[in-house]
Amino acid sequence: MHKLFLIISSVSGMLAVMLGAFGAHALKDKLTSEGTLDTYQTAVQYQFYHTLALLAIAFLMTKYESQWLNYAGYSMTFGILIFSGSLYILCFTGMKWLGAITPIGGLLFILGWVFLLMTALKSL
């Protein structure tokens, strides 16, 4: 399982760098409506933060066997997809209803951190 999260974190990290650079250079003049560039940057930042957390989870899995780490890894993965993904789509399409989906990704991030805490309390 640790390989899966290592692969996901590697791809997510690569995409975060690419999307961040793309946003800084190619989208600066295109994301002109109020707050859109800030929203895009938030998506990139949260993708990066949780990619690093996912990478840590992958490494922890090589040392500790814990179902909580699996839960944490999946929560972080789906949090990235839903939180950052909905913000990216919102920026490019202007579909405001996606703002209602974004908090689900945030909740998954929080759950991921709770599951990581549970790993520490129960397994280490």
Side-chain angles (χ1 to χ4, degrees):
M1 190 61 65
H2 71 280
K3 277 187 168 182
L4 173 65
F5 293 128
L6 182 58
I7 290 167
I8 292 169
S9 64
S10 298
V11 171
S12 182
M14 175 189 68
L15 287 172
V17 171
M18 292 167 61
L19 290 167
F22 183 66
H25 299 289
L27 297 179
K28 193 173 187 180
D29 295 331
K30 297 201 185 339
L31 297 178
T32 55
S33 63
E34 188 174 323
T36 307
L37 189 56
D38 290 339
T39 299
Y40 187 87
Q41 289 171 337
T42 298
V44 172
Q45 286 177 328
Y46 275 77
Q47 181 176 350
F48 255 125
Y49 299 152
H50 293 89
T51 294
L52 293 174
L54 192 57
L55 182 61
I57 289 165
F59 282 114
L60 284 170
M61 289 177 127
T62 65
K63 293 187 142 258
Y64 305 101
E65 197 169 316
S66 169
Q67 191 62 32
W68 295 108
L69 285 172
N70 286 328
Y71 298 152
Y74 283 115
S75 292
M76 296 290 183
T77 298
F78 288 108
I80 290 168
L81 289 172
I82 295 171
F83 184 89
S84 294
S86 67
L87 291 180
Y88 291 135
I89 294 169
L90 172 71
C91 289
F92 291 114
T93 66
M95 294 188 298
K96 301 288 184 193
W97 64 267
L98 285 168
I101 294 172
T102 305
I104 296 168
L107 178 61
L108 287 167
F109 286 151
I110 293 166
L111 284 173
W113 290 107
V114 168
F115 294 144
L116 200 52
L117 174 62
M118 293 304 294
T119 300
L121 295 175
K122 300 277 185 181
S123 302
L124 306 181

